[in-house]
Amino acid sequence: MAGLSATGALSPRTVVAHTSGAHGLVVLGEVNGLALHPAMTFTGTDADLARLPGIAWGVTARDRVFAARLVTELGGIPEWIAEQARPTYHAALAHGANHLVTLVNEAADLLRAAGVQRPEVVLSPLLHAALDNALAMGDAALTGPVSRGDAGTVRKHLDHLTPESAPAYLALARRTAERAVAAGRLRPQDAILLLDVLSTVGSPA
């Protein structure tokens, strides 16, 4: 930005915007800038544009009125993000969206290993319901063996997972157990055996 300013390419009235999620205004230096990040996944297909109307945009701006008008004209909803909170904001989106793709594909691979020919038919209604419930109910949407403290089933899962899938399952099961206990979905006394399995499996000998 300093180079462009020095060449005169940027006038005092020029507004510069970037769409990085992790960065705010610091990377733009002293120019009149906006950080406008569309909270949407883009795969380079024709479906991308159709997903834009109505989505949130993570906005960091000195001129909030101008930024809000611009985002609104793009069909979006401004969500104001403080400069120092941009990395946390972006980590949340990457954790939720990018890792979701990996998680879904891991589940699909396991179903194929179990002999299911069309994993998407099995997963689609289940995962859509789980996502809807999670967004509406938070941790109250937790179901399954971890939320029940069913250590035996979890141990059986771990015994049958591939070496590639087991570490991710284990990490998510541990975090699920922590959240289930904190939310009151799983009583601490009912979690003892489960937590023992989760703390010993995958630990160094």
Side-chain angles (χ1 to χ4, degrees), residues 70-88:
L70 178 58
V71 169
T72 301
E73 288 178 356
L74 291 170
I77 302 168
E79 186 68 42
W80 304 105
I81 310 296
E83 178 79 24
Q84 67 275 14
R86 300 278 308 185
T88 303

Side-chain angles (χ1 to χ4, degrees), residues 135-200:
L135 293 175
M137 302 166 61
D139 286 321
L142 283 172
T143 63
V146 173
S147 67
R148 296 193 300 268
D150 187 348
T153 296
V154 170
R155 182 59 193 245
K156 185 175 291 188
H157 289 174
L158 291 165
D159 288 343
H160 286 79
L161 289 175
T162 65
E164 295 78 17
S165 295
Y169 178 102
L170 187 60
L172 286 170
R174 287 171 176 159
R175 186 64 184 129
T176 300
E178 292 169 354
R179 295 190 70 100
V181 170
R185 302 286 293 175
L186 175 62
R187 297 187 306 173
Q189 60 267 36
D190 295 333
I192 294 174
L193 288 177
L194 172 67
L195 294 174
D196 183 58
V197 168
L198 297 176
S199 64
T200 55

Side-chain angles (χ1 to χ4, degrees), residues 4-53:
L4 284 174
S5 298
T7 64
L10 301 178
S11 73
R13 295 177 58 83
T14 302
V15 178
V16 178
H18 72 71
T19 57
S20 167
H23 300 289
L25 301 180
V26 171
V27 295
L28 296 177
E30 298 302 317
V31 303
N32 185 12
L34 307 171
L36 305 175
H37 178 255
M40 179 49 62
T41 180
F42 298 102
T43 59
T45 67
D46 293 339
D48 289 343
L49 287 178
R51 294 189 174 112
L52 284 175

